[in-house]
Amino acid sequence: SQVGIAGSTEIGDNCTLAGQTGIAGHIKIGDNVVLGAQSGVSGNIPSNQILSGNPPVSIKDHLKIKASLKKLPEMVKKVKKLEKELKK
């Protein structure tokens, strides 16, 4: 599933790396770690984590971030409008 693992990476027991996950070199990933699809790992990950994203964050936070991205253009417009009002 196109997972890329660079050299000198240590992966613990019972880990799941979903499709298109990339792991940089000289990284240690603990036991019982789940990395969601398209995660990009550039630092060590302790055991017993469920993460996703780039950089990896908890799956709960990752899903919130993804949901927020749809609202981002409208939020930027609102912030610009509020900045203009504050300048007045």
Side-chain angles (χ1 to χ4, degrees):
S1 62
Q2 296 180 331
V3 172
I5 303 170
S8 301
T9 297
E10 295 178 29
I11 300 175
D13 294 331
N14 196 38
C15 290
T16 301
L17 308 177
Q20 296 183 336
T21 293
I23 303 174
H26 310 289
I27 302 290
K28 291 183 181 181
I29 297 176
D31 298 332
N32 306 307
V33 171
V34 176
L35 291 168
Q38 297 182 330
S39 294
V41 181
S42 60
N44 295 334
I45 297 178
S47 296
N48 305 309
Q49 304 283 320
I50 301 174
L51 307 171
S52 190
N54 185 12
V57 294
S58 74
I59 191 71
K60 185 177 179 180
D61 288 343
H62 179 73
L63 293 173
K64 287 180 184 178
I65 291 166
K66 288 296 234 183
S68 297
L69 286 176
K70 294 177 185 177
K71 301 174 186 175
L72 192 57
E74 186 60 34
M75 289 170 45
V76 169
K77 288 178 187 176
K78 287 181 181 180
V79 168
K80 286 182 180 181
K81 182 179 176 182
L82 289 169
E83 286 176 337
K84 286 180 183 178
E85 289 177 14
L86 286 173
K87 285 181 182 180
K88 291 179 183 181

